[in-house]
Amino acid sequence: SGINAEWPLRSGGNIRFPSDLMAGNAVEASTEEPTATVIPTATAANHVEHVIQLRFEKRSDNVRRICDVPESQAATVTKPQELFDVPSIGLLWCPTFKAGSSNWLDLFCKANFNHHIYEDCDISTMRKNNPTTRYLSAEPDEFHYNKVMKEELGLPFMTVRNPLARFLSAYRDKWELGVWYPFYRKRQGEEIVKKYRSVSHQVTDVEKEALLMAARKVIQDHQQMNLLPEDVHNNPYLNPPGPTFREFVKWAVNGGMDPHIMPYYQSCAPCSIDYNILRLEKLNEESGYLFSVIERSYLNLDFRMSLNVHGKTDECLHRYYQTIPRHDLQALYNQFFKEDCELYSYPCKETMNEILSLGRITKEIVKC
């Protein structure tokens, strides 16, 4: 098996239905997910639970299959970046940012902290060891295997989303619009624009620095795109003020990394822990089932996809990726998508071929 015995599993890890429901029903690996059918109301609830359990079993089986492949990159990752054990709820959570993490964080904060703390509760709050949440980090000085091995942890789970949509959503939220927020502008936005923005060869390095400083001041003074002065087009670092998607991809394939775009297999080490895998695309239904299994049916994730002011990510996906040169698109697939798409059965190759067949969009600023 590709599941690494180094990590403890609670009750075998994955949720199990009574054996009579699963007897003789091996599910073959494919990208198609079991779906519920219209049946009499009296048995509808049991039927839906059975369908969701089939999904969970199928996903877990597929992860094991990929982990068993000798050249699997996922099998080389033996420790998750971080885990949150929440005893009050009975769950062990591996956060996957831009895949419903804000909704799970909100749920855990409400369940574990009083109103005063909840108002300021964020991921850093969860990372502090406290009586209600145990934070487990992969850093050697913080990660205590012996302690973890001796204690029963919550039911391990993670949430996944189409890797192409997740990567684009992270860019649009944190870097395209995030230019107005100092954290991402200072952390990576300026670095990307400075390194990859096309500027006339006639502009000297001294002049480039002056233009960058001017752009920084304009952004700080105006804080919103619609308030920028009319002469922004005279400054290449303000047109647009944040990195374009093509610039962002070039940064990523040349070693750029952030938790919001880190592949799932690098974040959660799925070959070492037998997670229950929920899909963002079906999160309300599947989280409800998860809560019923751990006997917390009163919980409600109430997941709603946040809307970007420039349109839904799924509707804009092809247009953004069409701006990427073929060689960068291939590098992006190999470095960020390939392993996750295979582990979690997303049809990324098909989507990539669709994008290539549509042809290249040379204009870097996307409007959809």
Side-chain angles (χ1 to χ4, degrees), residues 343-360:
L343 283 165
Y344 305 111
S345 301
Y346 281 100
C348 301
K349 284 185 178 179
E350 292 85 343
T351 304
M352 285 290 193
N353 287 331
E354 289 173 6
I355 292 165
L356 290 172
S357 69
L358 291 171
R360 176 85 188 286

Side-chain angles (χ1 to χ4, degrees), residues 54-207:
L54 285 175
R55 291 180 197 159
F56 279 31
E57 293 285 348
K58 181 179 177 181
R59 292 169 192 167
S60 184
D61 289 345
N62 188 66
V63 168
R64 291 191 186 95
R65 183 178 64 83
I66 299 300
C67 288
D68 281 339
V69 175
E71 61 271 20
S72 169
Q73 294 181 45
T76 66
V77 182
T78 60
K79 296 179 182 179
Q81 291 291 314
E82 56 185 0
L83 292 171
F84 295 93
D85 188 39
V86 190
S88 63
I89 296 180
L91 290 173
L92 181 68
W93 177 47
C94 180
T96 48
F97 300 107
K98 298 308 297 178
S101 59
S102 296
N103 296 83
W104 286 110
L105 178 60
D106 187 64
L107 178 77
F108 294 144
C109 286
K110 284 181 178 178
N112 288 298
F113 300 106
N114 61 38
H115 179 74
H116 175 69
I117 298 177
Y118 167 68
E119 288 297 313
D120 298 317
C121 182
D122 57 17
I123 197 71
S124 62
T125 308
M126 295 283 286
R127 286 179 178 136
K128 297 174 183 176
N129 283 311
N130 56 68
T132 57
T133 305
R134 179 166 41 208
Y135 175 56
L136 308 173
S137 166
E139 293 299 322
D141 59 339
E142 298 178 29
F143 207 91
H144 306 294
Y145 276 108
N146 292 335
K147 182 178 179 181
V148 173
M149 292 290 284
K150 292 176 182 176
E151 296 184 14
E152 184 179 75
L153 302 178
L155 195 70
F157 83 97
M158 60 183 292
T159 303
V160 298
R161 175 186 189 180
N162 184 304
L164 277 77
R166 175 187 177 235
F167 186 92
L168 176 58
S169 177
Y171 160 73
R172 300 181 77 209
D173 183 32
K174 304 298 182 183
W175 286 273
E176 184 180 50
L177 295 180
V179 68
W180 306 112
Y181 305 102
F183 179 78
Y184 274 93
R185 184 178 71 245
K186 292 179 180 178
R187 186 179 181 185
Q188 295 150 340
E190 285 188 1
E191 170 199 338
I192 297 171
V193 170
K194 180 179 180 179
K195 188 170 184 178
Y196 296 108
R197 181 64 47 90
S198 178
V199 180
S200 171
H201 294 297
Q202 297 179 345
V203 179
T204 66
D205 289 343
V206 173
E207 290 171 330

